[in-house]
């Protein structure tokens, strides 16, 4: 089910400008590393001013959702709870920041049970564009950033 890298790059190319514009509007540092199909953004927690390093890896996109993690300032692949924001309730409902350190949204490959995430009820990650449409809908890179940031603004501290 692997998507050729060139196809993935074409998909992303169509979305990248809008995602960059979103980041610029919100004054969020944004870096796209094409050869790794990796997005890096730095979010500042509104209350504490702590920095959070959000990484999205877009291999096999759009056949599969990206892998989103909060990482350290070295942009490692390791998932550690101390890098993750503690989810708080929001005016939009419960937070997508799961206590197990996963962004719990259909657009995060790591939220699916097959990737050790909490959701077996969403089906396969290949169904992400149709999964849990009653929860959060984010079908583009910019939409995903906006949804993550929406909940991030209500966090106050790290998970652990």
């Amino acid at each position: 089910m692997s998507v050729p890298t060139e196809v993935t790059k074409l998909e992303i190319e169509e979305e990248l400008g809008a995602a960059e514009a979103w980041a610029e509007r919100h004054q969020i540092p944004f870096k796209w590393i094409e050869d790794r199909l990796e997005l890096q953004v730095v979010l500042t927690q509104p209350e504490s001013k702590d920095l959070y390093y959000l990484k999205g890896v877009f291999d096999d996109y759009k056949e599969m959702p990206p892998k989103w993690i909060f990482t350290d300032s070295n942009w490692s692949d390791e998932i550690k709870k101390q890098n993750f924001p503690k989810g708080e309730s929001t005016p939009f409902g419960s937070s997508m920041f799961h206590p197990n350190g996963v962004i719990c949204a259909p657009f995060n490959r790591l939220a699916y049970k097959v990737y050790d995430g909490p959701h077996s009820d969403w089906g396969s990650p290949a169904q992400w564009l149709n999964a849990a449409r009653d929860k959060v809908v984010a079908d583009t890179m910019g939409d995903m950033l906006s949804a993550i940031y929406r909940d991030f603004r209500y966090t106050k501290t790290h998970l652990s």
Side-chain angles (χ1 to χ4, degrees), residues 40-60:
Q40 299 175 350
V41 296
V42 181
L43 302 177
T44 303
Q45 199 283 324
E47 197 166 300
S48 70
K49 304 300 182 207
D50 288 341
L51 300 179
Y52 288 77
Y53 301 89
L54 177 66
K55 176 164 71 169
V57 179
F58 286 75
D59 58 309
D60 294 328

Side-chain angles (χ1 to χ4, degrees), residues 62 105-107 112 121-122 127-140 143-144:
K62 277 190 140 167
F107 58 80
Y112 290 84
D121 57 324
W122 292 347
Q127 299 168 310
W128 74 281
L129 289 168
N130 296 310
R133 300 299 273 187
D134 59 327
K135 303 295 181 205
V136 62
V137 177
D139 297 341
T140 67
D143 291 343
M144 294 174 215

Side-chain angles (χ1 to χ4, degrees), residues 25-42:
R25 278 192 309 277
H26 293 281
Q27 299 178 323
I28 293 174
F30 178 103
K31 182 177 182 181
W32 173 248
I33 305 168
E34 183 177 17
D35 61 318
R36 295 199 319 238
L37 300 174
E38 182 177 301
L39 175 63
Q40 299 175 350
V41 296
V42 181

Side-chain angles (χ1 to χ4, degrees), residues 5 8 10 12 32 34 42-43 58 70 91 110 116 139:
T5 301
T8 297
L10 288 172
I12 291 167
W32 173 248
E34 183 177 17
V42 181
L43 302 177
F58 286 75
F70 282 96
L110 302 175
D116 296 323
D139 297 341

Side-chain angles (χ1 to χ4, degrees), residues 5 13 16 18 22 26 29 37-38 60 74 76 80 92 94 99 118-120 141 144-145 150-151:
T5 301
E13 188 177 294
L16 201 53
W22 176 89
H26 293 281
L37 300 174
E38 182 177 301
D60 294 328
N74 295 318
S76 71
K80 294 181 179 175
F92 315 103
S94 59
H119 284 282
S120 59
M141 183 187 288
M144 294 174 215
L145 288 170
R150 177 200 72 187
D151 282 12

Side-chain angles (χ1 to χ4, degrees), residues 6 14 34-35 40 45 55 68 79 81 84 92 108 115 117-118 121 132 138 144 148 152 155:
E6 291 309 312
E14 288 191 18
E34 183 177 17
D35 61 318
Q40 299 175 350
Q45 199 283 324
K55 176 164 71 169
W68 289 102
I79 297 173
K81 288 186 177 182
F84 199 80
F92 315 103
N108 184 15
Y115 288 92
D121 57 324
M144 294 174 215
I148 292 168
F152 179 78
T155 65

